[in-house]
Amino acid sequence: MGGMVEDTFAMASLNAAKQQIRSAMKNKLGALSHEAVKSQSSVVFNTLRNFKPYVDAKRVSVFLSMPTGEVQTDGIVRHALESGKEVFIPYLHKNPLASPNLPVRVMDMVRLRDLHDYESLKPDRWGIPSIDPATVHERQSVFGGPDAYHSDQTLLDLILMPGVAFDIDPETGAIRRLGHGKGFYDYFINRHNQKTVELGKQETPVLLYGLALSEQFLSSPSEGLVPVGPLDQPLNGLILGNGEIKSPPAAAK
């Protein structure tokens, strides 16, 4: 019983620490001009387009941006499609596995057909271009199938991830990410890792890279530290709005 109480207290403390960072970051990002975000997004795009993990990736997952407060990914999506990559974007839906221990809503990655398909997406209530649920069954997806699109065999090479804040663990050098608190990416990556094992593809795990405005990177403990729990996934790298690419030591990757 004591262990359960301690675990509950630890989780509450972790969530409170995360919320504190989110609140501070919201204020910081709210002060950024549209031009500053646009300029940094252009730098991220130009850094990424020549970045070997991106160049080599055939199947890429890209988040579609909110109108403010994060790297704008429109140029990345267009470039990836024009380069002949298979581009997958997030799709949120009710979890078909009903259990009190599982999230009610989960994320899959579904494929864009082409540039016209991308340009036809309608914004959701947050202003994020979104897949029409009525078309999902007609698309290749990571957790769909078996179907004509071989979804049951689909794995990603690279996931470009959003986040609220990022930092580097001062002890291990691991790159840490703080999301919006819903756990969509952590749960998705865990499932993707399981599928990788089931398909016997462990030798080529998916690469996880964050895209961030410079203001989202906590460069010193005085700015705060990204709190992480056992389910939080460390990243293979982070591309910043000033053109820097942060990488963990080889042992932490």
Side-chain angles (χ1 to χ4, degrees), residues 17 21 45 74 105 147 171-172 189 194 198 221 225 235 241 250:
I21 295 284
F45 168 60
D74 177 71
R105 283 173 62 76
D147 55 28
E171 294 182 6
T172 67
I189 293 164
Q194 289 177 354
E198 289 166 4
L225 296 170
L235 305 183

Side-chain angles (χ1 to χ4, degrees), residues 11-177:
M11 187 58 68
S13 298
L14 177 67
N15 290 338
K18 287 183 174 184
Q19 204 51 47
Q20 190 172 3
I21 295 284
R22 289 189 188 103
S23 180
M25 190 58 66
K26 182 179 179 180
N27 292 333
K28 183 191 284 190
L29 296 175
L32 276 181
S33 69
H34 175 73
E35 285 306 311
V37 172
K38 184 178 177 182
S39 173
Q40 290 196 46
S41 298
S42 178
V43 171
V44 168
F45 168 60
N46 286 317
T47 303
L48 181 71
R49 66 192 300 185
N50 299 310
F51 187 47
K52 192 174 187 308
Y54 171 76
V55 173
D56 292 347
K58 294 180 175 62
R59 286 184 182 144
V60 182
S61 161
V62 190
F63 68 94
L64 302 187
S65 310
M66 296 183 291
T68 60
E70 64 183 2
V71 170
Q72 302 297 292
T73 58
D74 177 71
I76 296 169
V77 174
R78 292 174 182 276
H79 181 269
L81 288 168
E82 290 164 359
S83 301
K85 298 183 186 299
E86 295 181 17
V87 180
F88 290 73
I89 62 172
Y91 171 68
L92 305 180
H93 62 94
K94 186 177 180 180
N95 192 344
L97 303 173
S99 167
N101 299 320
L102 295 175
V104 176
R105 283 173 62 76
V106 294
M107 181 174 72
D108 198 354
M109 295 291 177
V110 299
R111 186 178 173 186
L112 290 172
R113 300 187 189 99
D114 50 33
L115 192 57
H116 179 266
D117 184 30
Y118 169 58
E119 291 176 339
S120 70
L121 300 181
K122 301 290 192 294
D124 65 12
R125 57 179 169 158
W126 294 283
I128 303 171
S130 298
I131 291 283
D132 180 352
T135 70
V136 169
H137 71 285
E138 303 166 358
R139 298 175 183 271
Q140 184 179 3
S141 63
V142 173
F143 298 125
D147 55 28
Y149 315 105
H150 305 293
S151 293
D152 54 327
Q153 299 295 313
T154 299
L155 291 170
L156 300 171
D157 300 318
L158 173 68
I159 301 179
L160 299 176
M161 300 172 64
V164 175
F166 302 83
D167 77 352
I168 295 176
D169 187 316
E171 294 182 6
T172 67
I175 297 175
R176 304 184 294 197
R177 167 186 173 270

Side-chain angles (χ1 to χ4, degrees), residues 201-228:
K201 304 285 188 180
Q202 299 96 311
E203 72 280 2
T204 53
V206 64
L207 297 176
L208 311 175
Y209 277 84
L211 305 181
L213 303 169
S214 297
E215 288 78 5
Q216 292 178 285
F217 180 64
L218 306 177
S219 56
S220 70
S222 63
E223 295 182 271
L225 296 170
V226 169
V228 293

